[in-house]
Amino acid sequence: VSICLGENVTLTATGSGPFNWSTGETTASITVNPTSTTIYSITSTNGSCSLTDDVTVTVNTPPSVNAGSDQTICEGESVTLTATGNGDFLWSTGETTDSIIVDPTATTTYTVTASNSCSTAATDEVIVNVTPEVTLDAGSDVSICLGENVTLTATGSGPFNWSTGETTASITVNPTSTTIYSITSTN
């Protein structure tokens, strides 16, 4: 028989008796609570004749699972999620392997459940945060005459960081020679 750690099980012998268990008990049925897999023997003796039989009680550790730390990815990327623990794993995606590869398009919570012959299952979840794709356009190249100002306006998801150090979407510049202005957006 198989039990979960902490559970009791009743072992019942059948036959002509008398019964003598390896535990020292002499009844047909005994209740045991082993902490590890144990072989119990029972012997029945009638005169010079005796017969011995064994029963193995397998002790299973309750299932446990850890889905790992929450993850953050950029939109369009994938990430490997790995469960650790014991038992048979089942992800909310339907997959039954320790590790799965996911590529969500929005922030998603993934759940993994571990089970074995024990009556209770263990569950954990991991959140994959999806950062939206960065969009950015500094605008078209422009020509000005010496001494003139020009306003450059960026479009996109921001935040904006111009090579001039300014952080607004629009900046006004007055270059004295042909100049390239760069803008960066990080999400």
Side-chain angles (χ1 to χ4, degrees):
V1 295
S2 292
I3 63 170
C4 202
L5 183 65
E7 293 179 343
N8 297 328
V9 64
T10 299
L11 306 177
T12 302
T14 58
S16 57
F19 302 113
N20 186 13
W21 288 93
S22 53
T23 62
E25 296 170 90
T26 58
T27 57
S29 294
I30 63 172
T31 300
V32 294
N33 181 7
T35 57
S36 62
T37 298
T38 304
I39 298 173
Y40 295 91
S41 297
I42 187 169
T43 302
S44 178
T45 304
N46 187 358
S48 62
C49 299
S50 74
L51 183 62
T52 300
D53 196 16
D54 296 328
V55 61
T56 301
V57 178
T58 302
V59 178
N60 293 309
T61 303
S64 66
V65 66
N66 183 333
S69 301
D70 292 345
Q71 304 286 323
T72 299
I73 62 172
C74 293
E75 187 177 351
E77 292 181 341
S78 62
V79 64
T80 300
L81 305 178
T82 301
T84 57
N86 68 28
D88 297 320
F89 297 132
L90 175 62
W91 289 90
S92 52
T93 60
E95 294 169 273
T96 58
T97 55
D98 295 354
S99 296
I100 63 171
I101 298 173
V102 295
D103 56 352
T105 57
T107 296
T108 305
T109 300
Y110 294 92
T111 303
V112 60
T113 301
S115 60
N116 60 15
S117 61
C118 296
S119 58
T120 57
T123 301
D124 196 21
E125 61 184 30
V126 59
I127 299 171
V128 178
N129 297 293
V130 178
T131 304
E133 181 180 13
V134 176
T135 59
L136 182 65
D137 184 0
S140 300
D141 293 343
V142 294
S143 296
I144 61 171
C145 291
L146 185 61
E148 290 181 340
N149 295 331
V150 64
T151 298
L152 306 176
T153 301
T155 57
S157 55
F160 302 113
N161 292 303
W162 288 94
S163 53
T164 61
E166 296 171 90
T167 58
T168 56
S170 295
I171 62 171
T172 301
V173 294
N174 182 3
T176 57
S177 62
T178 299
T179 303
I180 297 174
Y181 294 91
S182 299
I183 188 168
T184 303
S185 180
T186 303
N187 187 358

